[in-house]
Amino acid sequence: MQANPLPYKFIVLDGVEGCGKSTQAELLAQCLRQSGEQVTLTHEPGGTAVGEAIRAVLLDADREMSALTEAFLFCASRAQHMQEVIEPALAAGKVVVCDRFSSATAAYQGCAGGLGWELLDEIATGGRQPDMTIILDLEPAKGRKRKQPATQPDRIERKDDEYHRRVRAGFLEYARQLDSRAAIVSADGSPQHIHQAILEVLGIESQAGR
Ligand code: TMP
């Protein structure tokens, strides 16, 4: 068991394409479970049946949509996710580890897509902010190289390099605005190295170091 109770109940991992956040979310959830926490590991867009249907529309490379439509669909997926998964888990005393959240809406639609994030943030979170948002920072070009060359890029992955550079800048600026409720961790290292850096941010004693 962990010596001290975890001060963060709602933890988000986010970052540019290929930054490794899904691997890190799994490693973190596993580590928290080993320390005795009940953990809900979830992701956006998706995490519910309605959210997965919205995700399919959002990522379909053959469909074009307006910037506002895109933003509202991400927010719609989040609204369902909050009500059906995140709020009930927090109310039951579980730790929620979420792979992407409103930080992604701020970086992709707000910054790279040019919609600004003040209004979007309000709609996107429904007023509930994560206790800690960890941004895994990586040069977008490196992230792209890490992605499976065999998979076809989805509607968002195929946007141009300049868009993905703005996404990165958006994540960094959003993290600065969140101040002590966010941390930036370099994603340019081995999965185990990044995992240790995340544990440090969360004040969790490393299992390996015992
Ligand atoms: P994923 O690759 O983490 O599964 O996320 C799917 C894509 O959705 C990814 O390109 C990032 C994008 N996205 C947004 O543009 N805005 C959002 O609010 C979220 C949650 C994801």
Side-chain angles (χ1 to χ4, degrees), residues 19-87:
C19 70
K21 66 194 167 31
S22 306
T23 304
Q24 291 303 324
E26 274 170 33
L27 288 173
L28 177 61
Q30 205 180 329
C31 171
L32 290 170
R33 284 184 185 126
Q34 278 166 5
S35 72
E37 299 282 355
Q38 276 193 292
V39 179
T40 295
L41 172 61
T42 187
H43 66 272
E44 291 199 358
T48 64
V50 167
E52 294 300 335
I54 295 172
R55 178 185 176 95
V57 173
L58 272 165
L59 301 187
D60 183 350
D62 296 329
R63 241 185 267 241
E64 284 309 318
M65 64 180 75
S66 80
L68 262 185
T69 306
E70 180 182 298
F72 287 151
L73 285 176
F74 279 113
C75 292
S77 166
R78 182 159 311 123
Q80 189 64 29
H81 195 207
M82 286 306 290
Q83 182 184 305
E84 204 177 312
V85 176
I86 297 178
E87 293 289 7

Side-chain angles (χ1 to χ4, degrees), residues 120-163:
L120 277 185
D121 204 33
E122 183 84 28
I123 303 173
T125 59
R128 162 81 81 163
Q129 290 282 359
D131 300 320
M132 177 55 74
T133 296
I134 298 175
I135 301 300
L136 299 179
D137 182 47
L138 189 67
E139 266 177 47
K142 284 193 179 170
R144 198 171 325 108
K145 276 202 202 122
R146 281 188 191 171
K147 287 235 155 178
Q148 298 273 343
T151 57
Q152 284 293 332
D154 63 37
R155 197 181 57 81
I156 297 206
E157 286 167 345
R158 61 193 278 186
K159 289 184 193 263
D160 63 19
D161 292 353
E162 179 51 33
Y163 178 90

